[in-house]
Amino acid sequence: MLLIRCPYCGERPEVEFRHGGEAHIARPADPATLTDEEWADFLYMRSNPRGLHAERWRHVHGCGRFFNAVRHTVTDKFLATYKVGEPRPAPEGEL
Amino acid sequence: MQKFSALSLVRRAFGGHTGWQPQWRQPEPKKSYDVVIVGAGGHGLSTAYYLAAEHGVRNVAVIDKGWLGGGNTGRNTTIIRSNYLFDESMAIFDHAVKLWEGLSQALNYNVMYSPRGVLMLAHNVHDVQSFKRHLHANRLKGIDAEWLSPEQTKEFCPPLNISPDIRYPVLGATLQRRGGTARHDAVAWGFARAADALGVDIIQNCAVTGIRRGPDGAVIGVETEKGYIGARKIGVVAAGNTSVVMAMAGVRMPLESYPLQALVSEPVKADFPCVVMSNTIHAYISQSDKGEMVIGAGTDAYTSYSQTGGLHIATHTLDAICELVPMYRRLRMLRNWGGIVDVTPDRSPIIGTTPVPGLFVNCGWGTGGFKATPGSGNVFAHTIATGAPHAINAGFTLNRFRDGLLIDEAAAAAVAH
């Protein structure tokens, strides 16, 4: 079980959280102008990297808030968690 | 290829079993091939076999970063069934079941297909209604499906606890008698041996590191750890690593990779007659021919390539199994492992062409791909050989996500997604 640091509550066990998928996928600014390809890309295409992944988590059984995290998808080690709206931190340290 | 038969077994036995040859070659890669398959799991090997056997395309290489059958093919719980909801799904999974029925003979290799029946347990009113809907859809398409009362369920599988006062009582079950299991390693080995005999080169422990494209955008070959290998066509069958391989050709995929785990107990007396699945409480159990109880758990909640799952996920499944089958409460678990499954937004696979000419993809089997192994390779071989999908995989395109033609198969793994 992962130990996840909620930026609001501190370290808590994984079962208190819900994974929210890839982070920083911006909703289209002008939806009416999007082509079908662009809609498909926004709705369905995911980077799914084998390595560092910026993703959303929600502390459902705690403060209830969404936040973002950078995690390595092979080791599952978290490099950083940060509040929504903050930029993705630069990768650093051992993976 | 040395043909297996009762006579050949007796003859080798009298020779002290010294006359057996390796079942496939360990070839060095040629300079180029007509078709390169990336991924030597069941689906990739069956694709190569059917390319050679049915389409006469024998200048084929199957390349894998590990050993053949070492990924999800060797890690799943080997359940075979075809009682899906949508027409497209029923067609491809039943195509596979029909091929399973004759596979050992076709490959001259015993894949130990055992149609012992698959029970899917209903635990609440919604389950009952939803399963009956599936069952009627199946029967309209000629797929065998029966509804069993709790008493009939108990009669079919006596170890089950059908007491009405457990946390999730059994309210009934669907039964597909043609469903069952096969020996997963034997499936990979059987396809590998048969494909090799038809001239297919299986190149193991050789990771593909790049996909090279010509000036017109079409694929011309793959970069590997053993150097560049030319290819007129490339079929990517890389399961959990599909997004990674497709990114080498600049193609984004509607996939997320999750760990899915399974565990196996110490071997016990053969007394569990069928496969039991319970989607509501995430328990999948059957008994291997060695006597071990083979148990499948759910996926982890987050995407990962770790090939290991969280212990709380396995514990959740064991809780359910201990209540459903009380006699297993003192059973010791021997091994626990994980595989990485590639999940699509609609839980249906993608089998077909891509925006890159000459590049084909077979992926997105999610948590339930083993059962489709022969059918998947059969229609994917047709797609690669002819450049156009077979009628059975025509709906499973990558473009369905652009066109809104999803095959929204929540029953894909029979789990509550």
Side-chain angles (χ1 to χ4, degrees):
Chain A
M1 188 178 298
L2 305 178
L3 192 60
I4 302 174
R5 193 185 70 81
C6 169
Y8 303 97
C9 309
E11 289 193 328
R12 300 293 180 87
E14 176 196 331
V15 286
E16 291 190 13
F17 297 85
R18 189 165 298 156
H19 186 251
E22 188 172 347
H24 306 299
I25 297 176
R27 191 171 286 274
D30 187 3
T33 62
L34 254 57
T35 63
D36 288 355
E37 273 81 10
E38 287 165 334
W39 270 122
D41 199 68
F42 166 68
L43 288 171
Y44 300 122
M45 301 300 163
R46 295 293 178 261
S47 57
N48 195 27
R50 187 184 174 95
L52 294 179
H53 186 227
E55 60 194 13
R56 303 191 312 158
W57 286 85
R58 188 177 174 212
H59 195 184
V60 283
H61 300 297
C63 62
R65 294 210 238 186
F66 277 97
F67 61 92
N68 292 330
V70 175
R71 182 176 54 92
H72 196 282
T73 59
V74 177
T75 61
D76 288 339
K77 184 173 176 180
F78 284 88
L79 273 78
T81 55
Y82 52 104
K83 293 175 184 173
V84 171
E86 293 177 355
R88 174 178 171 164
E92 54 182 71
E94 287 286 301
L95 302 184
Chain B
M1 182 173 86
Q2 288 176 313
K3 205 162 161 53
F4 291 130
S5 65
L7 189 64
S8 78
L9 287 176
V10 170
R11 191 177 294 150
R12 302 290 168 195
F14 279 111
H17 285 296
T18 53
W20 295 110
Q21 294 165 358
Q23 300 197 22
W24 48 80
R25 298 163 294 127
Q26 306 280 354
E28 284 304 308
K30 291 194 264 183
K31 271 200 171 127
S32 73
Y33 292 91
D34 290 340
V35 178
V36 164
I37 303 292
V38 182
H43 290 236
L45 292 165
S46 73
T47 303
Y49 167 73
Y50 287 114
L51 272 171
E54 292 192 353
H55 302 279
V57 183
R58 297 187 174 197
N59 188 20
V60 176
V62 187
I63 305 179
D64 200 289
K65 69 183 167 75
W67 61 93
L68 69 86
N72 295 347
T73 297
R75 294 164 188 262
N76 66 85
T77 54
T78 78
I79 297 171
I80 294 168
R81 62 186 178 90
S82 61
N83 51 357
Y84 283 67
L85 180 60
F86 288 96
D87 289 357
E88 294 91 341
S89 316
M90 284 191 265
I92 193 160
F93 287 106
D94 210 52
H95 181 52
V97 169
K98 285 173 187 149
L99 288 170
W100 280 119
E101 286 164 354
L103 197 61
S104 294
Q105 287 71 30
L107 299 178
N108 179 235
Y109 202 92
N110 187 3
V111 299
M112 298 164 74
Y113 168 59
S114 162
R116 60 184 73 174
V118 173
L119 279 178
M120 292 171 71
L121 303 183
H123 299 281
N124 54 46
V125 173
H126 172 78
D127 280 358
V128 172
Q129 292 171 342
S130 151
F131 286 11
K132 285 189 174 172
R133 181 184 173 211
H134 278 69
L135 183 149
H136 293 307
N138 293 155
R139 289 172 69 165
L140 286 172
K141 285 285 167 185
I143 292 174
D144 68 305
E146 293 166 46
W147 177 255
L148 303 187
S149 68
E151 292 72 27
Q152 290 169 315
T153 306
K154 173 92 178 164
E155 197 178 327
F156 192 76
C157 185
L160 282 180
N161 177 10
I162 59 161
S163 162
D165 58 3
I166 63 175
R167 177 66 184 84
Y168 295 101
V170 176
L171 301 187
T174 58
L175 169 63
Q176 185 177 21
R177 291 183 190 272
R178 289 158 68 228
T181 60
R183 169 102 166 90
H184 50 4
D185 292 329
V187 175
W189 298 337
F191 274 120
R193 172 174 170 270
D196 179 88
L198 294 171
V200 172
D201 282 357
I202 300 166
I203 299 157
Q204 305 179 69
N205 300 307
C206 174
V208 168
T209 54
I211 292 176
R212 207 185 278 186
R213 295 167 66 180
D216 60 347
V219 298
I220 55 171
V222 290
E223 310 282 354
T224 76
E225 290 176 339
K226 292 185 176 176
Y228 175 74
I229 301 171
R232 284 177 48 238
K233 294 177 180 177
I234 298 172
V236 175
V237 200
N241 283 294
T242 301
S243 295
V244 178
V245 177
M246 292 300 281
M248 294 171 189
V251 180
R252 272 165 67 77
M253 297 298 290
L255 294 172
E256 291 187 302
S257 297
Y258 291 90
L260 177 68
Q261 61 184 315
L263 48 164
V264 67
S265 76
E266 60 192 328
V268 290
K269 181 180 169 186
D271 55 11
F272 203 78
C274 60
V275 179
V276 170
M277 307 176 55
S278 170
N279 51 350
T280 303
I281 56 178
H282 268 299
Y284 312 87
I285 184 166
S286 64
Q287 190 163 26
S288 75
D289 289 348
K290 279 190 284 184
E292 304 151 324
M293 299 314 299
V294 181
I295 295 167
T299 57
D300 278 280
Y302 50 86
T303 59
S304 177
Y305 289 82
S306 61
Q307 288 193 307
T308 181
L311 191 57
H312 62 291
I313 304 283
T315 306
H316 175 72
T317 290
L318 291 176
D319 287 347
I321 288 188
C322 286
E323 189 162 76
L324 274 179
V325 195
M327 70 182 189
Y328 291 146
R329 282 181 183 168
R330 285 184 293 167
L331 202 60
R332 281 167 295 198
M333 292 298 140
L334 288 191
R335 286 176 287 125
N336 177 20
W337 63 90
I340 300 302
V341 298
D342 45 326
V343 177
T344 58
D346 60 0
R347 268 71 188 176
S348 288
I350 298 165
I351 317 157
T353 58
T354 70
V356 177
L359 182 66
F360 300 82
V361 69
N362 182 349
C363 66
W365 290 95
T367 55
F370 174 77
K371 64 176 80 67
T373 303
S376 156
N378 187 264
V379 297
F380 192 48
H382 180 278
T383 307
I384 292 175
T386 64
H390 190 282
I392 289 176
N393 66 316
F396 294 102
T397 62
L398 185 54
N399 285 341
R400 73 177 186 269
F401 297 98
R402 180 197 66 193
D403 300 336
L405 300 171
L406 303 191
I407 303 167
D408 201 1
E409 191 64 76
V415 298
H417 289 300

XYZ file of all heavy atoms in Angstrom, chain A residues 41 45-47, chain B residues 211 213 219 242-255 353-357 359 361 398:
215
model
N -8.632 13.254 -28.599
C -7.379 13.416 -27.872
C -7.641 13.914 -26.449
O -7.064 13.412 -25.482
C -6.470 14.397 -28.618
C -5.025 14.247 -28.170
O -4.443 13.197 -28.465
O -4.513 15.159 -27.499
N -7.210 10.052 -25.221
C -5.789 9.727 -25.383
C -5.028 10.121 -24.116
O -5.232 11.210 -23.580
C -5.204 10.453 -26.590
C -5.896 10.125 -27.893
S -5.806 8.367 -28.311
C -7.100 8.247 -29.548
N -4.153 9.231 -23.663
C -3.406 9.492 -22.430
C -1.931 9.184 -22.668
O -1.600 8.292 -23.459
C -3.942 8.606 -21.295
C -5.375 8.922 -20.891
C -5.485 10.306 -20.249
N -6.855 10.667 -19.893
C -7.649 11.451 -20.627
N -7.213 11.930 -21.778
N -8.860 11.760 -20.218
N -1.052 9.909 -21.960
C 0.374 9.690 -22.210
C 0.833 8.354 -21.622
O 1.713 7.713 -22.165
C 1.209 10.837 -21.635
O 0.962 10.967 -20.252
N 10.967 2.672 -33.608
C 10.300 2.283 -34.847
C 10.725 3.295 -35.908
O 10.575 4.495 -35.710
C 8.762 2.275 -34.667
C 8.353 1.144 -33.711
C 8.056 2.120 -36.020
C 6.877 1.105 -33.380
N 10.627 5.112 -39.577
C 9.646 5.378 -40.637
C 10.340 6.024 -41.828
O 11.303 6.752 -41.677
C 8.549 6.306 -40.102
C 7.732 5.644 -39.007
C 6.859 6.634 -38.262
N 5.816 7.198 -39.106
C 4.933 8.093 -38.661
N 4.966 8.503 -37.397
N 4.007 8.570 -39.465
N 6.116 2.688 -42.016
C 7.167 2.037 -41.241
C 8.136 1.324 -42.194
O 7.732 0.820 -43.244
C 6.592 1.016 -40.229
C 5.690 1.721 -39.233
C 5.850 -0.105 -40.938
N 2.057 -1.178 -24.474
C 1.670 -0.713 -25.807
C 1.852 0.792 -25.977
O 2.353 1.253 -27.009
C 0.200 -1.093 -26.085
O 0.073 -2.508 -25.989
C -0.227 -0.658 -27.470
N 1.466 1.582 -24.970
C 1.615 3.043 -25.086
C 3.065 3.408 -25.330
O 3.373 4.314 -26.108
C 1.140 3.739 -23.805
O -0.237 3.554 -23.622
N 3.978 2.689 -24.653
C 5.404 2.973 -24.766
C 5.904 2.658 -26.179
O 6.624 3.440 -26.797
C 6.193 2.145 -23.717
C 7.681 2.390 -23.843
C 5.707 2.476 -22.310
N 5.499 1.495 -26.713
C 5.960 1.097 -28.046
C 5.335 1.999 -29.121
O 6.022 2.440 -30.051
C 5.623 -0.387 -28.318
C 6.041 -0.785 -29.722
C 6.308 -1.286 -27.292
N 4.059 2.301 -28.978
C 3.396 3.131 -29.991
C 3.962 4.548 -29.999
O 3.977 5.211 -31.035
C 1.885 3.137 -29.753
C 1.215 1.797 -30.001
S 1.404 1.186 -31.685
C 0.152 2.156 -32.523
N 4.422 5.027 -28.837
C 5.025 6.363 -28.777
C 6.281 6.425 -29.642
O 6.650 7.495 -30.129
C 5.354 6.726 -27.328
N 6.935 5.270 -29.855
C 8.125 5.236 -30.722
C 7.763 5.595 -32.160
O 8.629 6.002 -32.945
C 8.750 3.831 -30.707
C 9.317 3.418 -29.360
S 9.789 1.672 -29.392
C 10.148 1.390 -27.655
N 6.478 5.403 -32.532
C 6.032 5.780 -33.871
C 5.221 7.073 -33.824
O 4.596 7.465 -34.812
C 5.200 4.652 -34.478
N 5.202 7.717 -32.666
C 4.498 8.986 -32.538
C 2.987 8.866 -32.461
O 2.271 9.813 -32.768
N 2.484 7.686 -32.057
C 1.037 7.487 -31.973
C 0.597 7.488 -30.512
O 1.118 6.713 -29.707
C 0.614 6.151 -32.636
C -0.886 5.961 -32.550
C 1.072 6.113 -34.082
N -0.331 8.381 -30.159
C -0.901 8.384 -28.811
C -2.045 7.385 -28.730
O -2.816 7.225 -29.673
C -1.420 9.789 -28.460
C -0.359 10.679 -27.852
C -0.780 12.129 -27.869
N -1.919 12.449 -26.991
C -1.839 12.588 -25.667
N -0.692 12.391 -25.050
N -2.905 12.918 -24.960
N -2.150 6.689 -27.603
C -3.148 5.626 -27.472
C -4.134 5.938 -26.342
O -3.763 6.545 -25.339
C -2.456 4.296 -27.161
C -1.528 3.784 -28.246
S -2.372 3.451 -29.805
C -3.335 2.003 -29.364
N -5.382 5.488 -26.488
C -6.367 5.669 -25.416
C -6.240 4.554 -24.383
O -7.171 3.775 -24.158
C -7.701 5.603 -26.158
C -7.437 4.691 -27.300
C -6.002 4.901 -27.697
N -5.062 4.458 -23.783
C -4.792 3.341 -22.873
C -4.237 3.849 -21.559
O -3.508 4.840 -21.527
C -3.735 2.403 -23.477
C -4.095 1.638 -24.739
C -2.842 0.937 -25.262
C -5.186 0.615 -24.459
N -5.766 -1.187 -37.806
C -4.790 -0.295 -38.406
C -4.568 0.914 -37.499
O -5.308 1.115 -36.536
C -5.287 0.187 -39.780
O -6.544 0.835 -39.591
C -5.469 -0.971 -40.743
N -3.540 1.699 -37.826
C -3.234 2.913 -37.080
C -3.053 4.045 -38.093
O -3.021 3.785 -39.303
C -1.935 2.755 -36.276
O -0.831 2.708 -37.188
C -1.947 1.485 -35.434
N -2.893 5.297 -37.640
C -2.649 6.389 -38.597
C -1.328 6.230 -39.355
O -1.128 6.896 -40.366
C -2.612 7.639 -37.700
C -3.289 7.242 -36.434
C -3.060 5.784 -36.263
N -0.428 5.373 -38.882
C 0.869 5.187 -39.542
C 0.774 4.002 -40.520
O 0.485 2.880 -40.107
C 1.977 4.902 -38.499
C 3.309 4.626 -39.178
C 2.093 6.066 -37.530
N 1.026 4.244 -41.835
C 0.946 3.128 -42.795
C 1.906 1.990 -42.433
O 3.060 2.246 -42.062
C 1.355 3.787 -44.119
C 1.106 5.251 -43.927
C 1.343 5.527 -42.480
N 1.750 0.109 -39.868
C 1.785 -0.158 -38.421
C 0.394 -0.611 -37.953
O -0.593 0.082 -38.201
C 2.210 1.102 -37.654
C 2.344 0.960 -36.125
C 3.487 0.018 -35.763
C 2.571 2.329 -35.476
N -1.940 -2.512 -34.653
C -1.889 -2.653 -33.204
C -2.998 -3.583 -32.704
O -4.101 -3.603 -33.253
C -1.965 -1.269 -32.502
C -3.349 -0.634 -32.671
C -1.583 -1.366 -31.031
N -9.197 1.799 -33.674
C -8.700 2.924 -32.886
C -9.590 4.146 -33.116
O -9.815 4.955 -32.217
C -7.251 3.204 -33.319
C -6.440 4.267 -32.586
C -6.424 4.018 -31.098
C -5.019 4.292 -33.134
